[in-house]
Amino acid sequence: ILNVEQSPQSLHVQEGDSTNFTCSFPSSNFYALHWYRWETAKSPEALFVMTLNGDEKKKGRISATLNTKEGYSYLYIKGSQPEDSATYLCAPNRDDKIIFGKGTRLHILP
Amino acid sequence: DVKVTQSSRYLVKRTGEKVFLECVQDMDHENMFWYRQDPGLGLRLIYFSYDVKMKEKGDIPEGYSVSREKKERFSLILESASTNQTSMYLCASSLLGYSGNTIYFGEGSWLTVV
């Protein structure tokens, strides 16, 4: 089983502050890394798919970087807003399997 | 817009009952998946299918089976429900191949086994 670690498990951030969290994974047989946002009572929603070492993706205030050689990805949120409250899942895929991390639960404080 | 529909959102079943969870996708995706979500354990893959009548075990297939008779429909079957199968079940689909293909999820089915 692919070992995917996300840290921190939970995070409280003041509205307006920026934040980031980490996904680490074994670097062998890497194909792609997915980031998803999962809001309560909704379906997980795809944020990014990254495949190349050094990839950087951006979507509004959210961005992500990928290091496939050392096996990690960072997700950054700039100027946090209440709507950013969600669980953020990373999911590397290796061979034919995509395995999800346990997620980082982000709480935005007003 | 891709739509993955799980027909039953909330179910309560008795121990020993046979349970069917149905999932339909409307984007002609080859891959379909069933996950379960439990507190502290994340999303765990139960079964997946990359074609009609094809199925592959995920990480936790015990106590489950699946059926894919049509491309758009993937059913998860609990042959004899047990209380440790109380969970939230997520269906998902994607185009064939894993690399770089976005997985689209349904809204989840909450199953309670009493």
Side-chain angles (χ1 to χ4, degrees):
Chain A
I1 295 179
L2 194 64
N3 193 24
V4 182
E5 300 287 340
Q6 288 191 249
S7 62
Q9 189 174 350
S10 180
L11 189 57
H12 290 77
V13 174
Q14 203 68 41
E15 183 177 348
D17 287 352
S18 296
T19 187
N20 65 84
F21 27 91
T22 307
C23 171
S24 62
F25 50 90
S27 55
S28 60
N29 296 348
F30 174 86
Y31 286 92
L33 183 99
H34 304 248
W35 278 102
Y36 284 82
R37 174 170 59 201
W38 194 358
E39 296 178 65
T40 304
K42 294 187 178 179
S43 311
E45 172 198 0
L47 288 173
F48 306 113
V49 178
M50 296 183 287
T51 55
L52 299 175
N53 184 45
D55 256 357
E56 289 188 33
K57 294 277 178 95
K58 189 174 180 189
K59 187 176 183 178
R61 295 178 292 99
I62 304 176
S63 60
T65 60
L66 177 66
N67 183 321
T68 61
K69 292 184 179 177
E70 295 180 42
Y72 64 84
S73 175
Y74 293 132
L75 190 81
Y76 301 90
I77 301 178
K78 188 177 176 183
S80 302
Q81 297 298 309
E83 60 265 28
D84 296 328
S85 292
T87 296
Y88 291 83
L89 300 171
C90 78
N93 68 262
R94 180 182 188 231
D95 299 326
D96 284 337
K97 274 197 177 178
I98 179 166
I99 303 294
F100 284 84
K102 294 178 185 177
T104 292
R105 184 74 179 95
L106 177 64
H107 306 264
I108 305 301
L109 305 171
Chain B
D1 255 6
V2 175
K3 195 153 178 69
V4 179
T5 303
Q6 295 180 232
S7 54
S8 301
R9 293 296 310 277
Y10 302 94
L11 305 95
V12 179
K13 297 291 182 180
R14 295 193 181 279
T15 300
E17 274 193 80
K18 191 169 186 175
V19 181
F20 292 86
L21 299 179
E22 305 287 347
C23 175
V24 176
Q25 50 94 4
D26 65 359
M27 281 302 290
D28 204 34
H29 284 167
E30 293 87 0
N31 289 340
M32 294 190 75
F33 313 89
W34 276 105
Y35 292 88
R36 63 178 279 179
Q37 162 77 359
D38 299 289
L41 296 177
L43 276 175
R44 293 181 293 166
L45 182 64
I46 305 171
Y47 267 97
F48 67 100
S49 168
Y50 54 86
D51 201 355
V52 175
K53 296 192 187 294
M54 304 301 290
K55 61 183 179 184
E56 295 284 342
K57 292 180 180 178
D59 298 318
I60 50 163
E62 295 79 20
Y64 302 95
S65 62
V66 290
S67 172
R68 187 134 182 234
E69 296 296 319
K70 294 185 177 181
K71 191 176 185 180
E72 67 271 17
R73 187 179 296 269
F74 192 36
S75 303
L76 181 70
I77 304 157
L78 287 65
E79 296 289 342
S80 177
S82 62
T83 54
N84 63 12
Q85 292 178 309
T86 292
S87 186
M88 198 273 269
Y89 292 86
L90 268 178
C91 176
S93 72
S94 74
L95 290 169
L96 188 64
Y98 268 95
S99 298
N101 288 325
T102 297
I103 294 180
Y104 296 89
F105 288 90
E107 291 188 317
S109 298
W110 292 91
L111 172 66
T112 301
V113 183
V114 297

